[in-house]
Amino acid sequence: MLLNALPMRACAPARSALEFTRLFATATPSSEVSSTSSQPEPNTHFRITLRRSAISLPANIKGTLVALGIHRRMQTVYHRHTPDIAGKILRVKELVEVENVPESAVRTKLEQRIERKAPRGYIVARSKFGQLDI
Amino acid sequence: MFGAFRATQPTMVGLLWKTPWKLSRTRKANVRSRLKKVDAVIEAVRASGMQCKSLVQALELPKEHEMPPKDKYTVFSRREQGYRKGIHKVPKWTRLTLRTNPKGF
């Protein structure tokens, strides 16, 4: 029942419970990922975010965004450092924001969505259905 | 005198949009912030170590702090008196790079 589920979501959970759910709900993506080892990981990818829309700009600009795999504003894509990607970024340099990130910071679309998700606010202490995963 | 039916230029002559001849202080600040954002993108691509022709061309552009105010807020126009017009008269000007002038201007 939806009505039964609502108060559960609204009630403030214990602090430790929140932190626990955060463990698998949201891993914060950091721009400067510092590895635990002494030497920092080399940057291998471009993190490209579309900040400005290409609406009513020439078709070659819109096509460049399609080639980069971007189809909406604020979408983030990752591309390996290659000269052709660098050229594409520079073609749309007024529209995008670019960062150099190491391999470990690369996220797929699904991973980005999971990281965006808010923590549920509760944890399942036990279930009569046994050990169900999430 | 006041109200919805007062005699003003927009109500009397129909469609009338006025574009100010120069940018306000706020709009100029926004211009500078956009220029800096484009500079940051070029710098990020340069820092990646990739080499391509478009990067060479992009690095030839003056950076925001190297540009004189004249180039930031106005562009060359062959029709204007004095050959300059406000950059905000250019269609899509917030998403274009208009940093350099033709030779001799």
Side-chain angles (χ1 to χ4, degrees):
Chain A
M1 288 288 284
L2 189 66
L3 279 177
N4 289 342
L6 271 176
M8 244 181 119
R9 278 185 158 265
C11 76
R15 188 105 188 121
S16 61
L18 237 183
E19 278 162 7
F20 178 65
T21 47
R22 272 213 160 261
L23 276 180
F24 51 86
T26 321
T28 48
S30 61
S31 56
E32 299 301 319
V33 174
S34 56
S35 56
T36 48
S37 65
S38 60
Q39 60 188 28
E41 211 179 337
N43 288 332
T44 55
H45 284 72
F46 291 115
R47 183 216 304 267
I48 310 162
T49 307
L50 186 66
R51 293 278 166 181
R52 305 287 310 273
S53 155
I55 288 176
S56 79
L57 286 182
N60 58 351
I61 301 275
K62 289 182 182 175
T64 306
L65 290 179
V66 172
L68 282 170
I70 304 175
H71 76 108
R72 58 164 64 112
R73 250 186 86 229
M74 309 310 287
Q75 184 183 353
T76 302
V77 293
Y78 294 84
H79 284 289
R80 197 166 275 285
H81 282 171
T82 51
D84 62 315
I85 293 294
K88 282 172 188 154
I89 290 170
L90 290 170
R91 172 59 71 83
V92 294
K93 60 185 178 299
E94 300 88 4
L95 311 179
V96 294
E97 193 178 275
V98 178
E99 258 183 283
N100 294 311
V101 293
E103 180 92 56
S104 61
V106 175
R107 300 282 182 275
T108 64
K109 193 178 165 188
L110 179 66
E111 285 165 351
Q112 287 180 45
R113 202 168 69 205
I114 292 169
E115 283 180 352
R116 267 201 306 275
K117 252 173 112 172
R120 288 166 170 173
Y122 66 89
I123 52 164
V124 180
R126 58 179 174 275
S127 167
K128 68 177 178 181
F129 301 113
Q131 290 293 320
L132 285 177
D133 191 25
I134 302 176
Chain B
M1 193 172 188
F2 302 109
F5 302 106
R6 67 188 181 280
T8 60
Q9 271 186 316
T11 56
M12 297 309 285
V13 302
L15 186 65
L16 176 68
W17 288 20
K18 289 187 175 179
T19 310
W21 77 273
K22 61 179 179 180
L23 292 171
S24 70
R25 199 177 291 177
T26 315
R27 292 182 87 186
K28 285 196 279 189
N30 291 339
V31 171
R32 291 193 296 276
S33 95
R34 279 194 296 268
L35 287 172
K36 279 177 194 155
K37 280 171 189 163
V38 175
D39 285 344
V41 171
I42 296 171
E43 175 57 31
V45 174
R46 192 199 59 75
S48 73
M50 293 300 106
Q51 288 178 338
C52 54
K53 190 182 163 192
S54 52
L55 180 61
V56 174
Q57 286 170 348
L59 289 173
E60 279 171 7
L61 290 173
K63 289 198 170 58
E64 190 270 335
H65 62 88
E66 296 164 358
M67 291 169 70
K70 188 188 99 174
D71 283 351
K72 288 183 200 172
Y73 314 125
T74 63
V75 285
F76 171 79
S77 163
R78 61 180 179 160
R79 296 177 207 284
E80 290 291 312
Q81 228 176 14
Y83 299 106
R84 303 296 296 185
K85 68 174 180 181
I87 197 168
H88 57 297
K89 310 264 182 176
V90 181
K92 322 276 182 260
W93 65 288
T94 63
R95 291 176 286 163
L96 299 177
T97 294
L98 308 158
R99 297 196 185 198
T100 50
N101 298 314
K103 207 175 173 186
F105 291 91

